[in-house]
Amino acid sequence: MERVDTIKKRIRNLPINKSGISPEYSNPGTYVGYWKFVFESGKFTICPKAKKMLELGRVTNISLRNVLKLMRPCQVGKLVREFKFACVHDCNFETELKLITPTGKIKWVRIAGVLYYRRWGTAEQMIGVIEDTTQKINEESLSLAVINHELRSPLTIIKLNVQLLINMLSAGND
């Protein structure tokens, strides 16, 4: 009975975001911010956390252009395709992008968005989350490097032994 009570307390203490679209993969240590794009006016806004994450703190008027400048052209195209597909097919979207902040840091972010309906069954805006996944990507890269190293070490020893045997056999035939 005590275990059930502690689980209930933990659930009650979980932070719930205002939009209800926090990604399931978010870890407690990840940095999550929110964004909104209004279709009629073309106005794009991001929360202060997202502004800080993207290192746009000194920019007073954040526009979609400011954020897109952080991406490579091919990634801008990828994001636009995902966004258009979600709007045309009335679905959510999620994509992972590499950004270069104004200070020159490389950041990986996962961007997710959902259409938001207010009146008459037409979508008025898209809202979403932006999550900094840089640490996760770096840890995965490090793990792959360690695995790669561990696989190369035994192969090198086997290769050296085979070369030694070939040399010994060729020396014995002379």
Side-chain angles (χ1 to χ4, degrees):
M1 186 68 175
E2 289 179 26
R3 183 178 170 97
V4 174
D5 290 336
T6 57
I7 292 172
K8 285 181 182 177
K9 285 179 185 175
R10 285 184 187 170
I11 291 171
R12 271 189 243 124
N13 292 333
L14 285 175
I16 297 171
N17 65 39
K18 293 177 185 174
S19 65
I21 57 169
S22 183
E24 296 172 6
Y25 52 79
S26 287
N27 298 324
T30 58
Y31 206 64
V32 178
Y34 303 97
W35 59 271
K36 176 175 72 170
F37 181 76
V38 180
F39 295 126
E40 190 174 313
S41 65
K43 185 178 178 187
F44 177 77
T45 55
I46 59 176
C47 74
K49 280 187 178 181
K51 191 175 174 182
K52 185 176 179 182
M53 178 193 335
L54 299 175
E55 297 181 6
L56 295 171
R58 295 180 185 226
V59 180
T60 55
N61 189 13
I62 301 287
S63 67
L64 186 57
R65 180 169 290 167
N66 293 18
V67 176
L68 294 179
K69 282 182 184 178
L70 303 175
M71 300 176 206
R72 293 186 176 154
C74 62
Q75 290 186 322
V76 171
K78 176 183 175 182
L79 180 62
V80 169
R81 281 190 303 276
E82 292 278 340
F83 187 84
K84 283 183 179 178
F85 184 85
C87 291
V88 170
H89 296 286
D90 194 26
C91 62
N92 304 341
F93 85 92
E94 183 177 321
T95 188
E96 194 164 65
L97 302 168
K98 181 180 178 181
L99 305 174
I100 300 174
T101 64
T103 60
K105 291 182 185 174
I106 295 175
K107 289 199 178 218
W108 285 90
V109 295
R110 186 171 299 219
I111 300 173
V114 297
L115 291 169
Y116 180 75
Y117 296 89
R118 194 172 273 176
R119 297 178 251 156
W120 303 294
T122 58
E124 290 187 354
Q125 58 189 347
M126 184 171 276
I127 57 174
V129 295
I130 181 168
E131 178 185 15
D132 187 355
T133 58
T134 306
Q135 185 176 354
K136 180 181 167 190
I137 298 290
N138 290 341
E139 287 172 359
E140 287 174 2
S141 297
L142 182 61
S143 298
L144 288 174
V146 169
I147 290 170
N148 188 18
H149 173 73
E150 292 300 324
L151 287 175
R152 284 186 183 184
S153 296
L155 291 176
T156 304
I157 293 170
I158 293 169
K159 184 178 174 184
L160 289 173
N161 285 332
V162 168
Q163 287 176 349
L164 179 64
L165 285 172
I166 290 171
N167 289 339
M168 288 176 61
L169 290 172
S170 65
N173 289 337
D174 288 344

